[in-house]
Amino acid sequence: MTMFFNQQVHDKFDLMKETLFLTVNLIDRFLSQQTVMRKKLQLVGLVAMLLACKYEEVSVPVVGDLILISDKAYARKEVLEMVSVVPCKNASVFKVLQAPESEWQ
């Protein structure tokens, strides 16, 4: 469900394939360490996409656009809170973002 949604977001914003790969990697690493309610999975996906875009893309979608594409399922405040939760709960997220590509596998 989340991966299909992220694929649609990726296509909608015409993002690089590396952004999608990093998004999936971030989701996987976060969910391996943190239990998330089913209704918040899409939010985790949005935040992972946002973080991946900030690292990979020249032009990053704004939070408002991500909220609109999710049919306003989340408020801006929820998205920004989750952005602050992901790095605090999972310090390895930043290690992934800073690691050379060869270490991502």
Side-chain angles (χ1 to χ4, degrees), residues 31-88:
L31 293 178
S32 71
Q33 296 183 3
Q34 180 73 27
T35 303
V36 178
M37 293 185 319
R38 186 175 182 174
K39 64 182 180 179
K40 296 292 185 177
L41 280 176
Q42 188 179 30
L43 179 59
V44 171
L46 281 175
V47 169
M49 180 73 69
L50 182 63
L51 291 172
C53 284
K54 286 184 176 188
Y55 183 74
E56 292 287 348
E57 300 289 334
V58 174
S59 177
V60 178
V62 295
V63 174
D65 291 341
L66 293 173
I67 292 169
L68 285 175
I69 206 163
S70 69
D71 290 332
K72 298 182 182 178
Y74 307 101
R76 179 179 175 81
K77 182 179 178 183
E78 288 177 287
V79 174
L80 297 177
E81 284 174 358
M82 183 60 80
V83 166
S84 67
V85 167
V86 169
C88 294

Side-chain angles (χ1 to χ4, degrees), residues 91-104:
S92 67
V93 167
F94 287 117
K95 290 178 185 173
V96 169
L97 292 175
Q98 295 170 349
E101 247 181 85
S102 59
E103 293 181 19
W104 289 358

